[in-house]
Amino acid sequence: RCLSDWSSDVCSSDLCAWTATSNADWLKVVSGGATGSGVVAYSVGANSTTASRSGTLTIGGISLTVTQAAPDPNAVLLTAVKNAAGYQSGAVAPGEFVVLGGSNIGPAAYTFQAIAGNRFGTATANTSVLFDGVAAPLYYVGANQSVAIVPYSVYGKTQTQVQVEYQNVKSNAIALDVTDAAPGIFTQLQNGSGAGSILNQDYSLNTAANPAPRGSTVMVYATGEGQTNPGGSDGLIASGATLPMPLLTVTATVGGVPANVAYAGAAPLLVAGVLQVNVTIPDSAPSGNAVLVIQVGTKSSQ
């Protein structure tokens, strides 16, 4: 068997079985491992540190060192994509609000997207977010963090590539799996934890000092419900007599007790991708700080 220090080609006796594994979390073996000759394919994650770094692959018992240079401090670098409500990482759904992290991915000062007519725009402050080349509606953009809405064009796909373009310079691409739903509940702290962005039946904010009585209906605001009927329209403000509703069934629990969902659909006068769920507090719900969870299809929120 043989393995050079500059190539991932492997040559071996036809009877020799070998495997390939990574010893660094930023190196991923895409394919490799066989009996006899073969090729190892691997991917290298973006370097989010300020220095060069080295990692190793173990291929057929032999170590291959991979060295990655320090990132250009002026490069447009995308490092993370999360649900903007629940702050979960993972697969994205059509219409989901996502928060993107990185460096030089937008202007120094946070800039909110202007609404033109009845639709959120897809470019502001020389910044765009692209999913497979399709510009996403933007909520705000900044040098280290931006919030965008996944285009409905990802519906039916298994994976999408996301990039940020700032001042005509594109970032690295991050591959994301696509799922039918990825629900997250917006929170008052805007970080995915703590009290939810929930209104009581009288439209007052639900808090410990202003709890919802059993039997009353609260309005929960979330994202990640996936495709809708009628089909989602990127950046469109919800209005009119017929509001889009998720294709998948929406259910809820309060304090672990199943709760009636009186309505699940677009939030009137808010942008497509914001899901409003009206939940009736069960008579058997516990008093005090009760955990509310919504489920879209088989996927649960935080």
Side-chain angles (χ1 to χ4, degrees):
R1 64 185 181 179
C2 59
L3 176 68
S4 76
D5 61 0
W6 53 267
S7 170
S8 56
D9 290 330
V10 177
C11 56
S12 177
S13 163
D14 289 342
L15 298 179
C16 179
W18 56 274
T19 60
T21 58
S22 170
N23 304 307
D25 57 6
W26 52 274
L27 288 175
K28 180 180 179 182
V29 175
V30 178
S31 63
T35 298
S37 297
V39 174
V40 176
Y42 62 92
S43 63
V44 180
N47 189 349
S48 58
T49 71
T50 58
S52 63
R53 59 184 180 179
S54 295
T56 60
L57 302 172
T58 301
I59 304 175
I62 299 173
S63 181
L64 173 70
T65 299
V66 178
T67 300
Q68 185 179 34
D72 178 353
N74 297 313
V76 180
L77 180 64
L78 180 62
T79 58
V81 181
K82 297 181 179 182
N83 183 293
Y87 272 70
Q88 311 102 317
S89 299
V92 296
E96 178 186 352
F97 273 68
V98 291
V99 56
L100 304 102
S103 57
N104 304 311
I105 60 172
Y110 286 122
T111 304
F112 284 81
Q113 176 64 277
I115 300 174
N118 65 342
R119 195 177 295 271
F120 275 49
T122 58
T124 190
N126 296 311
T127 306
S128 300
V129 176
L130 309 172
F131 287 79
D132 297 328
V134 176
L138 301 175
Y139 182 55
Y140 69 78
V141 296
N144 303 113
Q145 181 173 290
S146 298
V147 171
I149 307 170
V150 179
Y152 287 96
S153 59
V154 306
Y155 178 63
K157 296 183 178 181
T158 59
Q159 195 172 75
T160 184
Q161 298 273 340
V162 59
Q163 285 180 292
V164 175
E165 184 172 351
Y166 177 55
Q167 294 183 336
N168 298 317
V169 177
K170 289 183 179 179
S171 73
N172 56 300
I174 290 182
L176 299 171
D177 291 331
V178 177
T179 184
D180 54 358
I185 298 173
F186 289 103
T187 65
Q188 295 176 31
L189 294 177
Q190 300 181 35
N191 63 3
S193 62
S197 293
I198 298 171
L199 299 182
N200 290 333
Q201 188 164 308
D202 62 0
Y203 292 91
S204 63
L205 184 65
N206 178 270
T207 65
N210 188 37
R214 294 184 183 88
S216 67
T217 298
V218 297
M219 289 156 278
V220 183
Y221 293 91
T223 190
E225 73 270 30
Q227 186 57 282
T228 60
N229 182 27
S233 181
D234 293 342
L236 185 66
I237 303 298
S239 62
T242 303
L243 295 172
M245 303 182 73
L247 293 180
L248 300 172
T249 301
V250 178
T251 58
T253 58
V254 178
V257 180
N260 178 61
V261 173
Y263 170 81
L269 304 181
L270 297 181
V271 66
V274 178
L275 171 67
Q276 179 177 328
V277 184
N278 295 354
V279 178
T280 302
I281 306 299
D283 291 337
S284 57
S287 298
N289 189 357
V291 174
L292 184 147
V293 177
I294 63 169
Q295 188 173 55
V296 181
T298 61
K299 308 299 193 309
S300 295
S301 71
Q302 86 278 31

